[in-house]
Amino acid sequence: MQIVTLSIDRAGKATTPNVLKNCLVAIPESQSKEYAKTIDPKRLLLIPDELTTPYDSLIEKPISKHKARNWIREQVDEDWLVMIDDNLSCLRRTYVGKDGQETKITSGEEIEDILKFSCYASNMSDCKMFGFAESYKTSDYDPFKPISLTGYIPSTCFGIHKSNRIIFQKDWLEGHWITGMNAHHHKICWIDKRFNFKMKQTVHPTITSEQWTELELAFGKNAITRTKAGELNKMNI
């Protein structure tokens, strides 16, 4: 298993490398000097600049990630690649723990152990992708269904096997696209709904009607539920 966090224009602000000591940090090549001030250069994975573009807050144009994600996959030799956003705060249990067990998991070693177990469980279940719960709320957790082999995978943190046939194509509604493409090629996935990744200062670009329509044309209207801000994403695949 190799953990990689993709970070662009956030030198000195990325929190994931501080939590997960064994993760690589994929950055634009031209920003290596800035990132090297706070991160060991040996942990930096330098992406060709032409594969990334900066975030434009004025028009809410998302960072171009799909080309960089495909490039990262080509660089990793391990069976499993875990991609996680660079603004990790903690991992949260969605279930009620015993004897006052803490809801938040801040230990990088414990988080990495959970990711390793997800790789193992996915292998045993013949799944080529895994993810975690979108909601941290206990009320959204079903103790009778802690694991799901179908459903929506958030793009904040997910694992993809080297044999997975999907190719990253879009920079918006990423979770929908990776979920849909994985279902098309491999049918099932491993979703551990006992845990949710909490990120800091997440930016949610506005999704247009045209983008929703493109998604529906790709996977069918019956598979897509259009959601508004604050609603849980759903995919019937």
Side-chain angles (χ1 to χ4, degrees), residues 3 15-24 43 108-109 112:
I3 305 171
T15 56
T16 300
N18 299 328
V19 180
L20 304 177
K21 303 299 184 181
N22 293 316
C23 81
L24 296 179
R43 298 177 63 189
E109 291 184 358
E112 289 183 15

Side-chain angles (χ1 to χ4, degrees), residues 108-126:
E109 291 184 358
E110 189 171 353
I111 294 174
E112 289 183 15
D113 284 343
I114 291 171
L115 291 172
K116 289 177 182 177
F117 174 79
S118 296
C119 294
Y120 170 79
S122 297
N123 284 333
M124 294 298 99
S125 306
D126 198 27

Side-chain angles (χ1 to χ4, degrees), residues 6-10 25-35 44-54 63 68:
L6 175 59
S7 185
I8 302 173
D9 295 328
R10 284 175 47 79
V25 186
I27 62 170
E29 188 174 12
S30 61
Q31 298 177 15
S32 60
K33 290 184 179 180
E34 291 300 314
Y35 275 88
L44 298 179
L45 189 60
L46 305 184
I47 308 170
D49 287 334
E50 60 268 23
L51 299 182
T52 62
T53 56
I63 290 173

Side-chain angles (χ1 to χ4, degrees), residues 135-151:
S135 172
Y136 68 90
K137 296 180 181 178
T138 303
S139 58
D140 292 326
Y141 174 71
D142 185 349
F144 296 103
K145 295 181 179 180
I147 304 297
S148 177
L149 297 182
T150 60

Side-chain angles (χ1 to χ4, degrees), residues 1-121:
M1 177 187 78
Q2 178 62 64
I3 305 171
V4 177
T5 181
L6 175 59
S7 185
I8 302 173
D9 295 328
R10 284 175 47 79
K13 299 178 181 178
T15 56
T16 300
N18 299 328
V19 180
L20 304 177
K21 303 299 184 181
N22 293 316
C23 81
L24 296 179
V25 186
I27 62 170
E29 188 174 12
S30 61
Q31 298 177 15
S32 60
K33 290 184 179 180
E34 291 300 314
Y35 275 88
K37 293 178 181 179
T38 55
I39 300 173
D40 185 346
K42 294 180 180 179
R43 298 177 63 189
L44 298 179
L45 189 60
L46 305 184
I47 308 170
D49 287 334
E50 60 268 23
L51 299 182
T52 62
T53 56
Y55 176 76
D56 191 332
S57 61
L58 295 179
I59 60 174
E60 292 189 320
K61 180 181 179 181
I63 290 173
S64 179
K65 293 181 180 180
H66 71 279
K67 293 180 181 179
R69 289 192 190 279
N70 289 323
W71 182 87
I72 291 170
R73 286 193 72 186
E74 294 175 355
Q75 314 308 310
V76 174
D77 295 327
E78 282 77 1
D79 286 348
W80 282 97
L81 166 63
V82 177
M83 291 190 174
I84 183 170
D85 287 355
D86 72 346
N87 55 340
L88 175 62
S89 174
C90 66
L91 184 66
R92 294 182 287 198
R93 294 183 177 87
T94 59
Y95 59 90
V96 178
K98 297 181 179 180
D99 302 322
Q101 187 179 37
E102 286 289 334
T103 300
K104 295 181 180 180
I105 301 174
T106 57
S107 166
E109 291 184 358
E110 189 171 353
I111 294 174
E112 289 183 15
D113 284 343
I114 291 171
L115 291 172
K116 289 177 182 177
F117 174 79
S118 296
C119 294
Y120 170 79

